[in-house]
């Protein structure tokens, strides 16, 4: 399942890791932010994340950032996301529609 979900990604990000915790009720995901991603250079506070989504960390050049609303994403960042939403396979699935 991890391989299939990891291969089924948009060109603007890639799902690199997926873990289930709390008896499968919570997913922790790691995305790589690629060129052209519309979430880049916007303060996290302005991203309209779905309810039940938390950006727990940004990994930038090997350094972990525990973000506040003032932080933003850059191309090349990896983000660690914890969510109650199941079956997310694209970074844009984290956003409200």
């Amino acid at each position: 399942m991890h391989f299939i979900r990891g291969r089924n990604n948009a060109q603007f990000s890639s799902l690199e890791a997926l873990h289930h915790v709390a008896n499968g009720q919570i997913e922790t995901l790691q995305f790589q932010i690629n060129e052209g991603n519309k979430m880049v250079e916007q303060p996290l506070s302005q991203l309209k994340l779905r309810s039940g989504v938390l950006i727990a960390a940004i990994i930038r050049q090997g350094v972990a950032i525990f973000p506040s609303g003032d932080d933003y994403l850059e191309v090349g960042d990896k983000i660690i996301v914890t969510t109650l939403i199941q079956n997310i396979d694209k970074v844009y699935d984290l956003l409200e529609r």
Side-chain angles (χ1 to χ4, degrees):
M1 180 174 94
H2 296 199
F3 177 76
I4 293 168
R5 285 177 65 184
R7 300 288 294 166
N8 186 31
N9 278 294
Q11 63 187 5
F12 306 116
S13 67
S14 57
L15 178 61
E16 295 187 330
L18 162 69
H19 299 281
H20 291 101
V21 294
N23 294 325
Q25 296 178 36
I26 299 172
E27 289 189 351
T28 302
L29 308 123
Q30 177 178 309
F31 289 99
Q32 169 83 34
I33 303 300
N34 297 331
E35 189 74 38
N37 187 300
K38 66 182 179 184
M39 296 168 65
V40 169
E41 296 184 8
Q42 292 186 53
L44 296 181
S45 62
Q46 292 185 10
L47 295 178
K48 300 211 185 300
L49 297 175
R50 292 170 64 182
S51 179
V53 171
L54 172 68
I55 297 178
I58 301 169
I59 311 299
R60 182 172 296 143
Q61 298 176 351
V63 176
I65 299 167
F66 299 102
S68 70
D70 296 329
D71 290 297
Y72 56 91
L73 302 176
E74 294 180 0
V75 172
D77 285 352
K78 296 176 189 280
I79 58 171
I80 309 299
V81 178
T82 302
T83 182
L84 300 170
I85 303 167
Q86 301 293 310
N87 301 319
I88 288 179
D89 60 7
K90 297 182 229 36
V91 75
Y92 293 146
D93 291 341
L94 303 171
L95 301 175
E96 290 182 354
R97 297 181 194 255

